[in-house]
């Protein structure tokens, strides 16, 4: 059975991109376009990993991440933060909120796929 | 026969010598090596008191009254005993308050009253002019007589002269020239004249020697000593009465007493005496020697007065020769050519000394207390705006000198012949005596008021004029004779010489009694009834308590401390070595061997305070010194002084407060500016962060899809074309974004070139609609325009306005209703502005977002749906453009009712601004 | 201040003495005919008193 991945981003083009990459790597996917959707999808879909954009409407990526980490139910869900803000401070903030990896946009597709694989198949 | 030119040459040589001495004295003063800084010069300069009146006139008076001339010199001797108390006080007050003249002194005491200063000056000019005329008369008479040598003839016996033939006129002009040369040589207009004092002291020596020479010649040359002279005199019927006792018990003594009093006052308050004794005083310690040396001088110059008078009366028994001229005519009659010339020079020196000093003192007052106040009050002259008035001051003084001396000459021409020399001098004495109540009262009685001084002085002056000046005029024929003999309008009680029926007194005594009664009575009476203003009180205690204050006025210390404590205190701030040096120097200046001998008197406390003030500032110094000084309980006056000081301190602290408020305000402004800078910095960081985010997002798609396409050549066609179209769109988005960011940055930094030209707004709208017609078609949105006809053309950048219109239209299309899209464009004039509205019928914008949408990168869309397309920079750029033309861009909308974006452009200002930019 | 302070009382006393010496009635005592050493009495008296006052003044103040 394939691992499930939730893609949360408000840019449709990015969602399209991530869907293609994850499907190609053999994962099942679901997508959400804002923070609220993302949290709902997490509880419904129980993904193994979430690709979480930081700048999203309603709830940003940090908030989603924190909310997930506060609940033991999602303890083992891996989280990769995606952000267009490339600063070190942002990265630290992302990791502090409980993310497993932090990827800045624009990224190399190969690296992202490898990061996902490494987190899901230890 | 003495040649006229010899006399003139000798006279001018003598005056030249005087001038050289004065010049030398001034030079030395400038070098700081004063030649007058010793008590002997000071005492000799006081002898300016002995004028031609003494030199010639005493003998004249002795020839008629016997020793009746002596009170004029006994009075000064008596009052000088008290000078160590009175005059030293006046000197101290004058130095402390930088007093420059008698008028200044009186005015300053009574609240710095300009009216009082003016009155004093007027009285002095009127009172002294006859006295000056007396000197001119003496010089010209003696000159005329000397020219007759060896014949002794009185000038009165000769034919009257015209002014141009009048010796006195040339004497006046010469003296005026010399006075100007002596008194107003300095451009700094300083009131002290060291060179002049030196010259005056020299003159005193000359006139004394000349008089003694004549006296010795008469007593021992013509006769065999005093005994011989007097015993022969007793035999002479014309002479004997002079040597007998004073006449009558009442009248004689009254006259004697009043003359004594009169001269006591005159020796202090004659302008020339005040000038040399007070103003020119170098060191008040010189008074110590002067108080006995000056009386000794007077004694010496008077010893031979009676012998000369007796000798003269015996030599010229037929009364053909005026007693006033005996000093000159006796040597002439005895064919003593050199002695006669020396006597003439002595008289000349007595006269010149008086005229020069008196006129300088008067001219200072006329300038400072009459002319300058008037000039300053006259706005027309705008004196206050001049920076350097010294030239003006000197000019005024020079004119004043000339005028005063010419007035003296005029008086001499018109009235001078009416009296013997002594009478004229006494009139001046009586005028000057009017100042005594105001001055003496002023330095000992704090309650004396300005009103009291003004009214007392005025009353005394009026009485003086009525009882002395008017009778003088009457005798000169300026007033009808009955004025004297029957009183004005026949009122006997008002006869000037027998006022209210007071008879049996000589004129001077009579005048002194009435004028002093009026003067003192009104001075005291008005002072007691009135009250003082604050400045009068301050000045009064400043004057009366001058000796209670220490050498420096500023902070009077009353208290005791030990020398060691004071020195230790100073050492703490200046270092032990410097403190020891300072105290040693202070002790040496006071003639002590070492600092151990010092008394910790208020002076030393003040000294310590000054030393400290140099290091830590005056107020701190006072606080520090007060820590070691045991202050004595203060009197009311001191408390008043301190309160005065305190009120100044309060004024300063108010100034400080307002300054610190200003500083606070400035600080607040700076803080605000700093906050604003920080805010701008934060905004810049936010902007960069946002821009970076906005750039990275399309870049992410472009890069990732490119990689996918590159890595998966076998992608199906449909997917590949979809990916490629995303890449293209995101590239376009990126391009647009970069362009707009740059555009905005340029507008904001003012680097945009505005290509203004005249244009019609309706054309711009039509062109923008054409440019966006494809967009409208795609979204099936209708457009309706309502353009008011005749909207004025404006001057603006066409492309920029197009940019605004296209932006607003694209937004309107984007946000108008999905099904029934309608955009309405309106153009009209509204007052002096042009207004464009772009209305859409979309979902509208909630009021809290009306301003947000004009911020950079702040897009407001339906967050539940797709995020709005666009960069988030369109509206901010539009607003910048409209603002540049002085217009406004805003939105009116309610949720669900569509939105109206409106902007205005001022019609006039738009063009005005353009013309400004064009130039 | 190196010298002794001037005694103001002495000065006032001398002033009063001077007033007395040069005024009625003391003056009238010498206001008599006659001569001493050939000099009129009053004349001699006034100058002698004058000189004495000056001498006393110098003595007090210096």
């Amino acid at each position: 059975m394939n691992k499930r991945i939730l893609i949360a981003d408000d840019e449709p083009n990015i969602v399209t991109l991530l869907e293609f990459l994850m499907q190609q790597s053999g994962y099942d996917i679901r997508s959400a376009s804002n923070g609220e959707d993302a949290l709902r999808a997490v509880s419904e879909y129980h993904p193994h990993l979430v690709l979480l954009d930081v700048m999203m409407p309603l709830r940003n990526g940090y908030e989603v991440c924190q909310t997930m980490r506060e609940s033991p139910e999602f303890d083992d869900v891996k989280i990769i933060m995606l952000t267009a803000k490339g600063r070190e401070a942002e990265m630290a903030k992302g990791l502090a909120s409980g993310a497993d990896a932090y990827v800045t946009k624009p990224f190399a597709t190969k690296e992202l796929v490898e990061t996902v694989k490494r987190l899901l198949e230890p | 026969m003495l040649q006229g030119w010899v006399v003139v040459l000798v006279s001018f040589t003598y005056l030249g010598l005087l001038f050289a001495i004065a010049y030398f004295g001034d030079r030395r003063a400038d070098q700081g090596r004063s030649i007058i800084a010793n008590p002997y010069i000071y005492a000799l300069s006081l002898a300016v008191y002995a004028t031609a009146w003494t030199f010639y006139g005493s003998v004249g008076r002795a020839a008629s009254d016997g020793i009746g001339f002596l009170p004029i010199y006994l009075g000064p001797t008596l009052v000088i005993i008290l000078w160590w108390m009175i005059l030293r006080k006046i000197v101290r007050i004058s130095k402390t308050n930088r007093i420059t003249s008698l008028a200044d002194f009186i005015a300053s005491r009574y609240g710095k009253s300009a009216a009082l200063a003016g009155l004093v000056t007027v009285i002095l000019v009127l009172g002294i002019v006859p006295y000056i005329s007396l000197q001119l008369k003496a010089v010209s008479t003696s000159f005329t007589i000397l020219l007759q040598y060896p014949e002794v003839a009185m000038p009165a016996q000769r034919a009257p002269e015209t002014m141009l033939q009048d010796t006195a006129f040339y004497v006046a002009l010469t003296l005026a020239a010399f006075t100007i040369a002596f008194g107003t040589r300095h451009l700094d207009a300083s009131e002290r004249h060291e060179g002049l004092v030196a010259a005056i002291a020299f003159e005193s020596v000359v006139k004394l020697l000349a008089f003694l020479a004549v006296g010795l010649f008469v007593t021992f040359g013509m006769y065999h000593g005093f005994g011989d002279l007097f015993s022969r005199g007793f035999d002479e019927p014309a002479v004997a009465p002079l040597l007998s006792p004073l006449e009558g018990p009442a009248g004689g003594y009254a006259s004697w007493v009043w003359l004594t009093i009169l001269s006591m006052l005159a020796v202090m308050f004659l302008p020339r005496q005040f000038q040399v004794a007070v103003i020119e005083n170098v060191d008040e310690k010189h008074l110590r020697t002067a108080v006995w040396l000056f009386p000794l001088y007077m004694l010496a110059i008077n010893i031979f007065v009676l012998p000369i008078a007796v000798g003269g009366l015996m030599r010229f028994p037929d009364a053909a020769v005026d007693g006033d001229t005996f000093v000159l005519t006796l040597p002439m009659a005895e064919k003593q050519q050199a002695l006669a010339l020396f006597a003439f020079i002595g008289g000349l020196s007595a006269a010149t000394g008086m005229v020069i000093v008196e006129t300088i003192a008067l001219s200072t007052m006329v300038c400072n207390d009459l002319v300058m106040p008037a000039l300053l009050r006259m706005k027309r002259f705008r004196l206050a705006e001049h920076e350097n008035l010294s030239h003006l001051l000197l000019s005024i003084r020079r004119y004043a000198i000339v005028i005063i001396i010419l007035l003296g000459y005029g008086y001499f021409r018109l009235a001078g012949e009416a009296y013997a020399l002594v009478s004229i001098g006494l009139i001046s004495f009586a005028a000057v005596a009017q100042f005594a109540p105001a001055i003496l009262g002023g330095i000992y009685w704090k309650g004396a008021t300005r009103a009291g001084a003004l009214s007392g002085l005025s009353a005394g002056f009026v009485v003086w004029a009525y009882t002395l000046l008017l009778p003088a005029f009457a005798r000169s024929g300026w007033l009808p004779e009955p004025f004297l003999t029957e009183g004005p309008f026949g009122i006997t009680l008002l006869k000037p010489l027998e006022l209210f029926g007071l008879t049996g007194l000589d004129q001077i005594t009579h005048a002194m009694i009435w004028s002093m009664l009026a003067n003192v009575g009104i001075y005291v009476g008005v002072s007691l009834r009135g009250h003082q203003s604050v400045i009068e009180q301050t000045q009064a205690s400043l004057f009366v308590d001058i000796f209670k204050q220490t050498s420096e006025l500023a902070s009077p210390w009353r208290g005791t401390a030990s020398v060691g404590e004071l020195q230790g205190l100073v050492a703490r701030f200046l270092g032990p070595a410097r403190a020891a040096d300072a105290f040693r120097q202070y002790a040496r200046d006071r003639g002590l061997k070492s600092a151990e001998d010092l008394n910790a008197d208020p002076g030393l406390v003040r000294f310590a305070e000054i030393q400290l003030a140099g290091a830590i500032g005056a107020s701190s110094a006072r606080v520090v010194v007060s820590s070691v000084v045991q202050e004595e309980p203060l009197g009311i006056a001191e408390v008043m002084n301190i309160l005065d000081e305190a009120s100044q301190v309060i004024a300063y602290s108010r100034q400080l407060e307002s300054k610190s408020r200003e500083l606070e305000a400035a600080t607040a402004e700076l803080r605000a500016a700093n906050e604003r800078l920080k805010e701008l910095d934060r905004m810049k960081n936010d902007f960069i962060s946002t821009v970076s985010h906005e750039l990275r997002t399309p870049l992410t798609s472009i890069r990732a899809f490119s990689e996918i396409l590159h890595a998966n050549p076998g992608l199906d066609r449909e997917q590949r074309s979809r990916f490629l179209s995303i890449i293209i769109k995101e590239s376009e988005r990126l391009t647009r974004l970069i362009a707009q960011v740059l555009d905005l940055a340029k507008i904001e930094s003012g680097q945009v070139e505005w290509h203004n030209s005249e244009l019609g707004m309706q054309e711009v709208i039509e062109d923008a609609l054409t440019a966006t017609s494809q967009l409208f078609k795609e979204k099936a949105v209708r457009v309706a325009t309502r353009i008011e006809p005749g909207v004025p053309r404006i001057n603006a950048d066409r492309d920029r306005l197009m940019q605004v219109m296209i932006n607003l239209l694209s937004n309107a299309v984007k946000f108008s209703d999905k099904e029934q899209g309608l955009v309405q464009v309106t153009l009209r004039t509204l007052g002096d502005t042009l207004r464009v509205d772009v209305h859409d019928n979309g979902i509208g914008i909630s009021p809290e977002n009306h301003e947000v949408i004009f911020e950079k990168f702040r897009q407001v869309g339906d967050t539940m749906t797709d995020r709005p397309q666009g960069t988030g920079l369109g509206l901010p750029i539009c607003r910048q453009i409209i603002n540049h033309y002085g217009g406004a861009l805003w939105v009116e909308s309610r949720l669900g009712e569509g939105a109206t974006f409106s902007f205005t452009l001022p019609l006039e200002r738009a063009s005005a601004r353009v013309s400004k930019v064009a130039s | 201040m190196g010298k002794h302070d001037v005694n103001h009382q002495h000065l006032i006393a001398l002033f009063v003495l001077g007033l007395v010496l040069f005024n009625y009635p003391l003056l009238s005592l010498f206001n008599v005919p006659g001569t001493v050493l050939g000099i009129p009495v009053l004349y001699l008296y006034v100058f002698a008193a004058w000189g004495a006052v000056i001498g006393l003044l110098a003595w007090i103040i210096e």
Side-chain angles (χ1 to χ4, degrees):
Chain A
M1 180 152 168
N2 291 336
K3 296 276 171 80
R4 294 177 299 277
I5 292 180
L6 175 65
I7 297 165
D9 201 315
D10 63 335
E11 281 277 337
N13 289 334
I14 305 283
V15 173
T16 308
L17 166 67
L18 294 175
E19 280 175 350
F20 179 85
L21 285 175
M22 293 306 116
Q23 279 173 335
Q24 197 185 42
S25 306
Y27 301 110
D28 284 352
I29 51 149
R30 198 46 106 80
S31 61
S33 63
N34 63 51
E36 296 284 346
D37 274 2
L39 280 176
R40 216 172 297 130
V42 167
S43 53
E44 283 171 14
Y45 183 61
H46 291 282
H48 295 92
L49 184 143
V50 181
L51 286 169
L52 193 55
D53 181 32
V54 173
M55 296 276 282
M56 280 191 301
L58 299 182
R59 285 207 181 190
N60 68 32
Y62 299 131
E63 289 167 337
V64 173
C65 183
Q66 263 175 352
T67 312
M68 282 175 65
R69 286 301 179 232
E70 279 160 16
S71 150
E73 197 187 341
F74 308 119
D75 219 21
D76 54 350
V77 178
K78 306 293 183 191
I79 299 174
I80 298 178
M81 300 287 277
L82 295 174
T83 180
K85 294 184 173 183
R87 297 199 184 168
E88 303 222 333
E90 295 287 336
M91 204 178 276
K93 202 171 159 189
L95 293 175
S97 65
D100 296 284
Y102 196 95
V103 174
T104 51
K105 298 175 182 177
F107 46 79
T109 48
K110 231 189 224 169
E111 277 171 30
L112 179 70
V113 171
E114 274 164 15
T115 308
V116 171
K117 277 186 179 160
R118 197 183 67 230
L119 285 173
L120 288 180
E121 292 149 26
Chain B
M1 174 92 194
L2 257 175
Q3 296 291 325
W5 65 266
V6 174
V7 179
V8 171
L9 184 71
V10 169
S11 304
F12 275 89
T13 307
Y14 173 72
L15 290 176
L17 180 62
L18 276 190
F19 190 76
I21 291 170
Y23 185 76
F24 177 66
D26 281 335
R27 276 255 323 263
R28 290 286 292 260
D30 292 342
Q31 294 164 355
R33 297 185 298 152
S34 173
I35 54 170
I36 68 163
N38 70 72
Y40 304 102
I41 301 283
Y42 180 62
L44 285 173
S45 72
L46 288 177
V48 74
Y49 180 70
T51 65
W53 183 35
T54 300
F55 197 85
Y56 295 117
S58 290
V59 175
R61 194 173 169 93
S64 60
D65 295 352
I67 67 168
F69 68 95
L70 271 182
I72 305 295
Y73 307 94
L74 289 177
T77 304
L78 287 177
V79 82
I80 270 175
I81 298 172
L82 300 179
W83 267 18
W84 184 252
M85 285 163 267
I86 300 172
L87 196 78
R88 195 166 61 100
K89 187 167 190 175
I90 294 175
V91 168
R92 179 77 63 88
I93 290 168
S94 299
K95 284 194 192 305
T96 310
N97 294 285
R98 300 189 175 280
I99 302 278
T100 58
S101 69
L102 188 66
D104 200 8
F105 186 90
I106 296 176
S108 181
R109 160 61 179 82
Y110 296 100
K112 308 185 177 180
S113 158
L116 204 46
L119 177 65
V120 171
T121 305
V122 169
I123 294 176
L124 280 175
V125 171
L126 286 176
I128 296 301
V129 158
Y131 203 177
I132 289 173
S133 83
L134 186 143
Q135 309 299 317
L136 299 177
K137 178 182 174 180
V139 173
S140 77
T141 305
S142 58
F143 179 74
T144 315
I145 290 172
L146 190 62
L147 285 187
Q148 309 299 316
Y149 182 88
E151 183 199 340
V152 176
M154 291 296 100
Q157 296 162 343
R158 297 162 56 233
E161 307 138 313
T162 66
M163 196 164 92
L164 287 179
Q165 294 171 319
D166 191 350
T167 325
F169 181 65
Y170 297 103
V171 171
L173 289 185
T174 309
L175 284 183
F178 267 90
T179 306
I180 288 172
F182 279 120
T184 61
R185 226 157 41 80
H186 283 295
L187 278 181
D188 61 357
S190 126
E191 312 310 342
R192 292 204 44 218
H193 314 80
E194 293 222 343
L196 174 69
V197 172
I200 295 303
F202 176 75
E203 296 220 276
S204 294
V205 174
V206 170
K207 66 194 177 198
L208 178 64
L209 290 181
F211 197 86
L212 289 179
V214 174
L216 287 171
F217 169 74
V218 171
T219 310
F220 299 103
M222 291 170 64
Y223 302 94
H224 304 291
F226 291 105
D228 178 39
L229 179 71
F230 286 124
S231 64
R232 288 203 205 183
F234 278 114
D235 301 335
E236 201 79 37
V239 180
L242 298 185
L243 304 175
S244 30
L246 292 169
E247 277 171 30
Y253 287 116
S255 172
W256 178 278
V257 168
W258 275 105
L259 276 183
T260 309
I261 294 174
L262 199 55
S263 53
M264 279 170 131
L265 304 177
V267 79
M268 284 196 282
F269 305 138
L270 277 168
R272 65 173 189 277
Q273 296 304 126
F274 196 85
Q275 181 78 25
V276 293
V278 178
I279 309 298
E280 308 280 1
N281 176 279
V282 177
D283 184 342
E284 59 184 54
K285 275 181 255 160
H286 291 170
L287 270 174
R288 256 182 218 281
T289 308
V291 292
W292 59 264
L293 199 56
F294 174 41
L296 199 60
Y297 182 98
M298 288 189 292
L299 184 139
I301 209 169
N302 276 302
I303 286 176
F304 291 107
V305 170
L306 198 59
I308 294 174
V310 172
L313 285 174
M314 292 191 290
R315 182 71 177 74
F316 308 111
D318 49 357
V321 174
D322 190 347
D324 286 343
T325 67
F326 284 167
V327 177
L328 188 63
T329 48
L330 276 175
M332 284 171 70
E334 296 296 316
K335 305 283 187 291
Q336 296 293 324
Q337 183 171 313
L339 186 60
L341 196 56
F342 189 30
F344 170 75
I345 291 297
L348 180 68
S349 75
T352 51
M354 181 277 182
V355 171
I356 289 171
V357 181
E358 203 88 273
T359 314
I360 285 171
L362 280 180
S363 72
T364 302
M365 286 184 263
V366 168
C367 171
N368 290 1
D369 301 313
L370 280 184
V371 180
M372 284 310 280
L375 287 187
L376 285 172
R377 206 158 296 172
M378 277 187 254
K379 296 253 160 49
R380 201 153 53 84
F381 286 93
R382 302 184 177 202
L383 278 192
E385 292 164 25
H386 287 271
E387 281 187 13
N388 187 351
L389 289 173
S390 62
H391 282 280
L392 179 63
L393 283 172
L394 283 182
S395 304
I396 293 173
R397 282 176 199 188
R398 287 176 182 149
Y399 283 115
I401 285 168
V402 172
I403 290 169
I404 289 166
I405 292 183
L406 287 183
L407 276 177
Y409 172 71
Y411 188 88
F412 162 70
R413 285 286 288 188
L414 295 168
E417 299 294 340
Y419 289 106
L421 292 180
V422 169
S423 316
I424 297 183
L426 285 179
I427 290 177
S428 294
F429 273 33
V432 165
Q434 304 305 322
F435 301 124
I439 293 178
L440 295 177
I443 64 173
Y444 288 107
W445 181 31
K446 276 189 210 176
T449 67
R450 186 180 77 93
L454 256 178
S455 46
L457 201 50
S458 304
F461 173 61
V462 167
V463 176
W464 168 82
Y466 188 74
T467 54
L468 284 177
L469 199 62
L470 293 188
F473 289 170
R475 282 180 195 162
S476 305
W478 296 358
L479 288 171
E481 188 66 24
F483 176 76
L484 285 186
T485 53
E486 292 160 27
F489 317 109
I491 306 170
T492 327
L493 272 185
L494 293 182
K495 281 203 281 189
L497 297 180
E498 291 172 13
L499 200 58
F500 306 121
L502 186 65
T503 53
L505 297 170
D506 69 290
Q507 189 185 351
I508 295 294
T509 307
H510 171 263
M512 279 306 289
I513 287 173
W514 283 123
S515 64
M516 277 296 143
L517 214 56
N519 190 334
V520 175
I522 290 175
Y523 172 65
V524 174
V526 172
S527 289
L528 288 178
R529 283 184 60 88
H531 62 91
Q532 292 172 313
S533 66
V534 176
I535 183 159
E536 282 182 72
Q537 280 173 21
T538 313
Q539 292 300 104
S541 79
L542 219 56
F543 273 50
V544 175
D545 291 339
I546 188 82
F547 284 123
K548 293 193 188 152
Q549 295 146 8
T550 49
S551 55
E552 298 291 325
L553 182 68
S555 51
W557 282 107
R558 302 194 68 196
T560 53
S562 82
V563 179
E565 274 177 320
L566 285 172
Q567 188 167 343
L569 198 65
V570 174
R572 220 179 299 153
F573 292 93
L574 298 182
R578 273 180 68 195
D581 276 347
F583 275 69
R584 225 183 348 266
Q585 186 59 45
Y586 182 82
R588 246 203 306 278
D589 289 346
R590 272 143 198 81
L592 302 176
K593 260 184 247 150
S594 71
E596 277 80 16
D597 299 330
L598 279 172
N599 284 324
D601 56 11
L604 185 65
V605 175
R606 177 67 191 153
F607 170 76
E609 195 191 339
I610 291 169
Q611 297 301 308
L612 287 174
I616 58 175
S619 56
S620 313
R622 195 172 164 81
V623 172
V624 167
V625 169
S626 68
S627 68
V628 299
V629 175
Q630 305 291 316
E631 290 239 34
E632 286 167 8
L634 294 172
I636 284 291
E638 281 82 350
V639 172
M640 285 303 293
N641 277 338
I642 288 164
L643 282 179
D644 284 345
E645 214 172 293
S647 64
Q648 267 186 2
V649 170
I650 288 168
Y652 283 136
S653 81
R654 284 212 192 99
Q655 282 177 5
L656 275 178
E657 261 173 43
S658 81
K659 281 266 180 283
S660 79
R661 265 200 298 278
E662 280 167 27
L663 273 178
E664 265 171 32
T667 310
E669 267 174 43
L670 276 175
R671 195 175 292 130
N674 191 32
E675 284 302 315
R676 173 120 190 84
L677 278 175
K678 276 191 197 161
E679 174 69 19
L680 284 174
D681 194 46
R682 204 157 40 234
M683 280 166 68
K684 192 193 79 186
N685 282 341
D686 285 353
F687 181 73
I688 289 171
S689 166
T690 313
V691 166
S692 128
H693 178 266
E694 295 298 312
L695 289 171
R696 279 164 192 267
T697 303
L699 264 179
T700 307
S701 297
I702 294 166
R703 177 176 179 182
F705 282 116
S706 303
E707 281 180 9
I708 289 168
L709 286 171
H710 186 253
N712 302 283
L715 277 180
D716 63 68
R717 199 192 167 99
E718 190 197 342
Q719 212 162 19
R720 202 165 69 200
S721 103
R722 190 171 142 229
F723 290 172
L724 280 171
S725 87
I726 291 177
I727 291 174
I728 292 166
K729 271 195 179 154
E730 291 294 278
S731 301
E732 284 170 357
R733 179 177 164 190
L734 196 58
T735 311
R736 202 165 56 239
L737 182 73
I738 291 170
Q740 288 200 335
V741 166
L742 291 178
D743 201 19
L744 187 64
K746 270 160 83 181
I747 293 176
E748 283 187 339
S749 62
Q751 287 170 343
V752 172
E753 285 184 34
W754 301 84
H755 302 285
N756 293 313
S757 63
E758 200 186 84
L759 53 86
M761 195 62 212
Q762 71 277 16
E763 293 156 22
V764 175
I765 292 171
E766 278 155 19
D767 290 352
L769 284 170
T770 311
T772 51
S773 58
Q774 190 59 32
L775 208 58
F776 279 91
K777 257 183 220 156
E778 274 172 19
K779 302 262 179 172
V781 175
R782 288 179 299 126
V783 60
T785 55
R786 214 166 67 220
I787 292 173
E788 191 181 275
V791 173
R793 295 170 74 80
I794 56 169
N795 236 319
D797 187 325
R798 178 182 198 84
D799 292 345
R800 288 294 176 184
L801 290 187
M802 277 288 282
Q803 189 181 353
V804 173
M805 277 315 297
I806 289 172
N807 202 295
L808 294 183
L809 287 172
S810 329
N811 280 349
V813 170
K814 217 184 293 173
F815 293 106
S816 61
D817 191 79
K818 294 283 180 291
E819 311 298 325
Q820 299 278 308
L822 173 65
V823 172
Q824 291 167 287
V825 181
T826 317
L827 168 66
R828 57 198 157 125
T829 49
L830 208 69
D832 56 356
T833 58
L834 163 163
R835 176 163 170 175
V836 176
D837 301 311
V838 178
H839 176 78
D840 69 69
N841 59 349
I843 51 169
I845 304 164
S846 60
E848 68 265 22
N849 286 327
H850 284 180
E851 274 306 305
V852 172
I853 55 171
F854 290 103
E855 292 172 19
K856 295 159 203 164
F857 302 112
R858 292 295 292 270
Q859 295 170 319
V860 178
D862 182 356
T863 49
M864 301 302 287
T865 64
D866 290 346
R867 52 172 292 160
Q869 297 297 304
T871 58
L873 288 175
L875 283 175
I877 290 176
C878 290
R879 182 171 260 190
Q880 290 278 355
I881 292 169
I882 297 299
N883 284 352
H884 171 78
Y885 285 113
L889 168 62
W890 72 99
V891 67
E892 285 167 19
S893 171
R894 260 189 279 176
L895 274 177
E897 291 179 13
T900 307
F901 284 84
S902 309
F903 66 85
T904 58
L905 288 172
L907 291 170
E908 251 124 33
R909 277 182 65 188
S911 49
R913 203 178 178 110
V914 168
S915 65
K916 196 171 157 197
V917 169
S919 69
Chain C
M1 280 159 223
K3 299 178 183 180
H4 66 95
D5 269 345
V6 177
N7 191 326
H8 290 190
Q9 289 165 27
H10 289 184
L11 290 177
I12 291 169
L14 182 63
F15 176 69
V16 173
L17 176 68
L19 283 181
V20 173
L21 286 178
F22 296 125
N23 265 305
Y24 186 85
L26 212 59
L27 207 57
S28 67
L29 294 183
F30 300 91
N31 194 11
V32 293
T35 57
V36 175
L37 306 172
I39 300 169
V41 177
L42 185 62
Y43 189 69
L44 188 66
Y45 163 71
V46 169
F47 275 91
W50 194 357
V53 167
I54 293 171
L56 279 171
L57 179 55
W59 179 66
I60 290 172
I61 208 155
E62 287 280 7

